[in-house]
Amino acid sequence: MSLLSSYYLPGLAVEDRAIDVPLDWRGTSPAQLAGVQGAPSSPLAEASAAEKCDPAFEGRSLRLFYRVLCAPENVGRDLPYLVFLQGGPGGAGPRLTSPASDGWVAEAVRHFRVILPDQRGTGRSSRVDGATIAREGDVAAQARFLKRFLADSIVRDFEYLRLTELGGARWVTLGQSYGGFLTLTYLSTFSGAAAASFTCGGIPHVPARADEVYAHTFPRMVAKTSLLYERYPDDERRLALLAERVAAGNVRLPDGSSLSLRRLQSLGQGLGMKPGHERLHNLLDLAFTAGDGSVEAALAAAGGRAEKIELSPAFLAGAWSATNVAANPLYWVLQELIYADGELEAPISWAAERAWRERPEFDPAARPLMLTGEACFPWMFEEMPELRPFAGAMERLMADTSFGRLYDSAVLLANETPLQAAVYFDDLYVDSGLQLDTLGRVGASHAWVTNEFEHDGLHGEHVFKHLLNEARDRGDLAGVL
């Protein structure tokens, strides 16, 4: 293994490692590049290996960074590996302070050596940001480059890591949110490479369609926003007054960008997490500077004129923090592209924006003000400094219809890798009904449906332990644990 450093965190022994992977996997395969015979393959893997690499990417590589964790008492023990497939898209692996800082880790390191990769383009894995994309040339070249950061490439990176760094040992995968999408791509492409798989709030609908996703998401956002107003009635008035003030203009966030009505509405993106409603309520509680911070005090100090209301620096800092993606710009860049599987009948063409325009209740002038969730919009690439460099490439990608293949329905139906899936009944982001429909066509899959948790349930201490116990009780981890 290519060791960079080793050290201890409280309760964790850590190794930082990195390997080189091709920017463009077309024209080769993990097994071919690793010189391994008899490794798991599939029609998807073989078809990609038979394609031609983009001439502009020939010979170019990326650095794939990953961490290996274990409990200090397990150092030197030959425990099985568990690889964590991070949510996102565009999210780096978790940065931990202890096993308790991400709820599933404490249980995982009791049984496994845990691998935390930074997916390509994120964290320390040849990070992609505005400066990076500018160096790729014109918008056509930039768009071709960004297509190399989707699930078909990510799972090949991980399979290459398994073959070269772990000696081909079968591992267990744990996918959170988008990590579940990666799980089905991995099972489709490298059947048999995983000994078992776990997913949490992340089974995509197969076949995948972005329009279908947002047809389910927007009605749930109405429900989530309504729940905010039901729990905290003053927040409806606060958001209405904030909308009036923002509509008057000249509201600046800490990075100098404007707070627009659409960006104000995007504060709803955390309402699918726990305690998302309470976090937003506490942010709105600090919105106004005058007097006791109430709506009445704000209006009185401004002489009843919304455009004169002063917004607190604490609120503006919080609104920026809740909506910016300076740390992970690929989150919005790739957001709708994760639904592009192979040759599309029609381009994605800003699916969330089209769904938004079809729902008058989301008009910024409508009251009560409805908030939006995990949805990517064109205005983001106009207003947000960290996303402006991607604007031209995004227009190209939204008009594109040719992407890498992600899923093979026949392979998934014949799947023999035990798959334990936590399906959150009220999931805002990944519809539970669509998840169950897919799981009904995946062999060896088992769904645990619960309304006890929101989309981020894995980050508590119960969900992974429950799934692990179910798998052990069923005998799905025989030979692993």
Side-chain angles (χ1 to χ4, degrees):
M1 291 186 180
S2 46
L3 181 66
L4 302 176
S5 64
S6 60
Y7 50 93
Y8 283 83
L9 293 170
L12 293 170
V14 184
E15 294 179 346
D16 289 353
R17 298 180 176 274
I19 58 173
D20 291 320
V21 294
L23 170 59
D24 190 344
W25 273 107
R26 291 172 298 180
T28 188
S29 70
Q32 181 179 339
L33 193 62
V36 174
Q37 301 294 321
S41 189
S42 68
L44 289 187
E46 292 166 7
S48 174
E51 293 185 61
K52 290 185 177 180
C53 173
D54 187 320
F57 303 149
E58 190 75 46
R60 289 184 60 179
S61 63
L62 303 172
R63 201 72 170 147
L64 180 70
F65 173 85
Y66 63 102
R67 287 197 160 99
V68 183
L69 314 176
C70 72
E73 63 270 23
N74 289 332
V75 171
R77 293 183 61 196
D78 189 26
L79 295 179
Y81 288 100
L82 180 147
V83 61
F84 181 61
L85 309 183
Q86 171 69 32
R95 264 51 186 178
L96 304 174
T97 57
S98 74
S101 60
D102 201 344
W104 64 272
V105 173
E107 181 67 19
V109 295
R110 292 180 58 207
H111 312 283
F112 299 96
R113 286 173 284 180
V114 175
I115 298 176
L116 302 178
D118 285 343
Q119 294 166 24
R120 54 170 51 205
T122 75
R124 292 174 61 179
S125 290
S126 297
R127 171 185 163 83
V128 174
D129 56 23
T132 307
I133 200 66
R135 292 194 289 268
E136 290 300 318
D138 62 21
V139 295
Q142 293 172 7
R144 295 199 310 274
F145 177 75
L146 290 170
K147 286 167 72 173
R148 307 271 63 82
F149 291 84
L150 292 164
D152 54 331
S153 297
I154 294 170
V155 300
R156 285 166 173 78
D157 292 346
F158 293 168
E159 178 64 359
Y160 183 68
L161 186 159
R162 186 185 73 87
L163 294 175
T164 58
E165 302 296 290
L166 309 185
R170 297 175 75 208
W171 55 11
V172 173
T173 69
L174 171 61
Q176 159 64 16
S177 187
Y178 177 59
F181 291 47
L182 297 177
T183 299
L184 290 200
T185 302
Y186 191 58
L187 294 177
S188 293
T189 312
F190 301 108
S191 178
S197 291
F198 299 93
T199 64
C200 298
I203 295 294
H205 201 215
V206 179
R209 285 182 56 246
D211 287 333
E212 181 180 52
V213 170
Y214 296 112
H216 288 80
T217 300
F218 278 92
R220 285 200 300 275
M221 274 312 304
V222 172
K224 294 290 188 182
T225 306
S226 299
L227 180 59
L228 175 74
Y229 296 152
E230 178 185 327
R231 288 183 180 175
Y232 310 108
D234 279 354
D235 289 355
E236 181 177 341
R237 299 175 63 222
R238 286 177 171 275
L239 273 165
L241 188 57
L242 278 166
E244 288 186 56
R245 175 62 190 89
V246 168
N250 197 30
V251 178
R252 297 286 173 181
L253 295 169
D255 64 351
S257 61
S258 295
L259 177 59
S260 65
L261 283 167
R262 296 290 299 273
R263 190 161 184 176
L264 179 68
Q265 286 182 291
S266 76
L267 286 173
Q269 60 192 266
L271 294 182
M273 311 290 189
K274 279 188 176 180
H277 287 79
E278 287 65 40
R279 289 193 189 104
L280 181 53
H281 167 69
N282 288 336
L283 176 61
L284 297 174
D285 187 58
L286 298 174
F288 308 119
T289 60
D292 58 14
S294 65
V295 167
E296 290 78 10
L299 281 170
R305 298 171 62 187
E307 69 273 16
K308 297 293 185 180
I309 288 175
E310 292 185 5
L311 302 184
S312 77
F315 169 75
L316 294 173
W320 178 80
S321 179
T323 59
N324 90 91
V325 289
N328 56 330
L330 290 184
Y331 175 71
W332 287 132
V333 171
L334 303 179
Q335 186 66 221
E336 294 194 356
L337 302 181
I338 67 175
Y339 303 108
D341 182 10
E343 299 298 321
L344 310 183
E345 294 180 359
I348 292 173
S349 190
W350 300 106
E353 177 73 12
R354 289 184 285 107
W356 180 85
R357 292 185 181 280
E358 292 171 359
R359 295 184 173 275
E361 65 268 35
F362 283 91
D363 189 305
R367 297 292 178 269
L369 185 71
M370 286 294 136
L371 305 178
T372 55
E374 192 176 53
C376 175
F377 301 107
W379 65 261
M380 295 174 168
F381 296 86
E382 300 167 3
E383 298 181 15
M384 298 171 69
E386 66 270 27
L387 293 180
R388 285 182 195 133
F390 296 92
M394 286 301 295
E395 291 299 333
R396 284 275 185 149
L397 290 165
M398 286 296 163
D400 204 336
T401 57
S402 184
F403 293 85
R405 287 285 312 281
L406 305 180
Y407 313 117
D408 187 320
S409 296
V411 171
L412 290 174
L413 185 62
N415 173 63
E416 296 181 353
T417 300
L419 170 61
Q420 327 289 327
V423 177
Y424 306 126
F425 184 79
D426 299 315
D427 200 319
L428 170 60
Y429 313 110
V430 189
D431 183 77
S432 58
L434 297 180
Q435 290 190 67
L436 292 172
D437 181 64
T438 297
L439 288 169
R441 291 175 280 108
V442 177
S445 66
H446 307 276
W448 170 45
V449 183
T450 174
N451 66 353
E452 186 178 352
F453 306 96
E454 290 281 2
H455 187 72
D456 56 346
L458 177 65
H459 301 304
E461 62 183 21
H462 300 296
V463 169
F464 179 66
K465 183 181 292 187
H466 180 98
L467 291 174
L468 188 68
N469 288 337
E470 280 198 345
R472 274 194 301 210
D473 290 347
R474 197 179 287 113
D476 288 343
L477 294 174
V480 178
L481 296 181

